[in-house]
Amino acid sequence: MSKQSICERERSNLEKMNKFQLENQFKKIGFIIAIGAFVLMIVRKYIEDSEWIRPILHGILLIGLLLISLSKEKLEDEFIDSLRSQSYRLAFLVAIVYSLAQPLVNYGVAVLLNQDDELKSFDYFQVLFFMLIVQLLFFWQLKRMNK
């Protein structure tokens, strides 16, 4: 095989992955999953010895939000694709700032309230949840502003 054909195949595969989206009907499924997981997280608070189910519900909630994020709009065109790309970029940048600032904010609050003075980290769920929520909110806001 020539180098050109290998590069063309790789470029084609990258373009396919770049354009990957789920059908619009997955948005409804994602909302049902996300809302159901959120309700179950609230119910879990009132059940004793239910700490083992927490990471499962976190994963399910993230899957629901990801389905919403990856689903096409009813009318998917280049403009919507551009808005989606902008919202992913903005969510990524805001999540980085959040990840850097949140431990410092927690430390400052702990110092003000005379609690233990150590920098507390946060888990992957907080970052991923924040990033997906911010992406969806930016996308919906950009879409609403540009109608």
Side-chain angles (χ1 to χ4, degrees):
M1 272 196 209
S2 69
K3 284 186 179 180
Q4 178 114 13
S5 66
I6 293 172
C7 288
E8 287 174 4
R9 244 187 312 132
E10 288 299 317
R11 184 176 296 124
S12 172
N13 287 339
L14 285 173
E15 286 176 9
K16 285 179 187 175
M17 286 187 340
N18 189 31
K19 299 287 183 187
F20 176 75
Q21 283 188 296
L22 299 171
E23 294 298 320
N24 182 263
Q25 63 199 14
F26 283 94
K27 187 175 287 192
K28 293 175 188 166
I29 295 169
F31 273 116
I32 292 169
I33 290 171
I35 291 170
F38 186 73
V39 168
L40 288 174
M41 289 170 93
I42 293 170
V43 169
R44 185 199 65 82
K45 291 281 190 186
Y46 300 104
I47 299 174
E48 290 185 32
D49 298 328
S50 63
E51 195 60 33
W52 62 272
I53 202 164
R54 184 178 182 184
I56 295 169
L57 292 175
H58 283 177
I60 292 171
L61 179 62
L62 290 175
I63 288 170
L65 291 174
L66 187 62
L67 286 175
I68 297 167
S69 178
L70 291 176
S71 297
K72 290 181 182 178
E73 294 296 304
K74 288 184 181 177
L75 177 64
E76 188 75 28
D77 57 4
E78 290 177 7
F79 180 68
I80 294 292
D81 192 42
S82 170
L83 294 180
R84 189 181 311 277
S85 178
Q86 286 176 348
S87 68
Y88 279 118
R89 276 194 308 270
L90 289 169
F92 180 74
L93 293 173
V94 170
I96 288 174
V97 171
Y98 171 77
S99 297
L100 294 172
Q102 188 61 35
L104 298 174
V105 170
N106 288 345
Y107 179 74
V109 169
V111 167
L112 288 174
L113 299 178
N114 294 328
Q115 295 176 348
D116 52 355
D117 300 336
E118 62 184 54
L119 284 174
K120 295 178 183 172
S121 64
F122 43 92
D123 60 356
Y124 75 95
F125 172 76
Q126 286 178 302
V127 176
L128 293 176
F129 177 78
F130 182 77
M131 189 180 283
L132 284 168
I133 290 293
V134 167
Q135 186 272 326
L136 290 169
L137 292 175
F138 272 132
F139 178 67
W140 293 331
Q141 183 65 24
L142 288 169
K143 199 169 95 173
R144 193 176 63 109
M145 285 175 32
N146 290 300
K147 276 191 174 181

